[in-house]
Amino acid sequence: MDNAFSPYHTAVAAIFFASALVFTMVSMNPACVGLAFAGALACSLVMRGRAATGATLGWLVPLWLVIACINGFYSSSQAGTAFAVGPFTFGLESLCYGTTAGAMISAMVLWFASAGECISGDSAIGLLAKPMPTVALMVSQVLRLVPQMLRRGRDVLDVQESCRVGDLTRWQGVRDRMRVVSVLVGWSMEDGAIRAESMNARGYGSASARTRYRRRRLKVSDGIMAIVIGVIGVIACVAAGGVGSQFQFYPAIDAQGSWWSCVPGIFLVCIPLALEARSRVLWR
């Protein structure tokens, strides 16, 4: 599938998404996390389209709200109060921390989803097969089986919906979801046994080196792009992890002048947009 990273070697996309994930996780500074989420959302829109991104946000946003509310309710290390619902008090610092944590998790999910569109299973194996064959196999299986499991889950829900008579009650909804989990677990175990037998029959692991159907060498332009992205990623991660980590939520919110630490990250998260714009200009 064509995307902004298609003209380059797989290593270029791998370096970018690794840098983006590290930048997202290295600091809880709201500026860095907010920038990472905005970049991940823009990258998902470019790589996956509006429909797929909207479907992902459909369950990410409720998860985000749950994380924020649970942390705001249960944490007691707080100096201010955001709001109160009856006898329950939600701390300002705890609610901000939960909101930031939810944004970080959402950004990571969107980065992984975009990486799955840019790095195919065969590309991941080709990139990691020689230095880390086991990791390459695991990455390729995850990139293939997670979307397959999601499609199967929707198929099971559709079948249950077509067989239902009358309105759906709350208990029936919970029972349907539990049945989906049960079916997917059994399905996955069967697939695991079949894949293991298939790999043994094809002689997986019997040779010291893996053959490839298509070998793509790292060109000079690919190496330059990988170095540029790597340098930008290192600078962004160091800034976010160093100065950005000075931000404190407890016992009171204190930025300590750490907002500027997200500036190098702007160049990092805009790389997919720049590559996509370049591809469209060249296409015209």
Side-chain angles (χ1 to χ4, degrees):
M1 181 180 295
D2 292 336
N3 54 72
F5 291 97
S6 296
Y8 304 97
H9 192 272
T10 308
V12 177
I15 291 174
F16 167 75
F17 285 108
S19 301
L21 286 170
V22 173
F23 174 75
T24 303
M25 297 183 293
V26 77
S27 174
M28 283 293 291
N29 191 311
C32 296
V33 176
L35 176 63
F37 176 78
L41 180 60
C43 182
S44 179
L45 289 171
V46 170
M47 303 297 177
R48 305 170 62 217
R50 290 179 293 180
T53 303
T56 304
L57 291 177
W59 62 269
L60 269 183
V61 173
L63 177 64
W64 187 349
L65 295 176
V66 168
I67 294 174
C69 292
I70 289 179
N71 190 82
F73 175 73
Y74 282 103
S75 182
S76 59
S77 300
Q78 53 197 17
T81 300
F83 59 90
V85 180
F88 305 108
T89 302
F90 291 82
L92 176 62
E93 291 78 11
S94 302
L95 192 63
C96 291
Y97 185 90
T99 302
T100 306
M104 178 182 291
I105 295 174
S106 301
M108 291 173 57
V109 172
L110 291 174
W111 283 130
F112 273 113
S114 299
E117 292 292 327
C118 298
I119 305 175
S120 63
D122 187 68
S123 299
I125 292 179
L127 183 64
L128 302 174
K130 188 173 182 179
M132 295 180 290
T134 303
V135 175
L137 177 62
M138 292 173 59
V139 171
S140 64
Q141 292 299 308
V142 168
L143 291 176
R144 178 179 181 182
L145 295 180
V146 170
Q148 182 187 79
M149 183 174 292
L150 293 176
R151 289 195 300 269
R152 288 178 172 178
R154 289 192 292 267
D155 291 341
V156 175
L157 287 174
D158 292 340
V159 171
Q160 292 182 132
E161 182 67 25
S162 63
C163 296
R164 182 179 299 110
V165 178
D167 296 332
L168 177 66
T169 63
R170 180 177 301 178
W171 169 246
Q172 287 176 340
V174 174
R175 186 175 57 184
D176 288 350
R177 267 57 180 184
M178 294 300 296
R179 186 180 293 113
V180 170
V181 173
S182 176
V183 171
L184 291 180
V185 169
W187 217 334
S188 300
M189 294 178 66
E190 293 177 2
D191 281 350
I194 294 174
R195 291 178 188 276
E197 294 175 356
S198 176
M199 292 172 65
N200 289 331
R202 297 183 182 187
Y204 177 81
S206 59
S208 58
R210 175 185 177 272
T211 59
R212 302 179 185 177
Y213 292 103
R214 183 180 63 177
R215 183 183 296 274
R216 184 169 184 178
R217 298 185 181 276
L218 187 69
K219 299 181 294 186
V220 176
S221 59
D222 298 331
I224 295 175
M225 182 61 67
I227 292 174
V228 171
I229 293 177
V231 171
I232 295 175
V234 169
I235 295 174
C237 294
V238 170
V243 181
S245 296
Q246 296 178 4
F247 185 92
Q248 296 179 359
F249 286 94
Y250 304 108
I253 296 177
D254 184 9
Q256 298 184 5
S258 62
W259 299 107
W260 68 268
S261 60
C262 68
V263 173
I266 297 176
F267 298 94
L268 176 64
V269 301
C270 288
I271 289 176
L273 303 180
L275 294 179
E276 181 67 19
R278 177 179 180 273
S279 298
R280 294 188 180 185
V281 170
L282 293 177
W283 177 257
R284 291 180 181 177

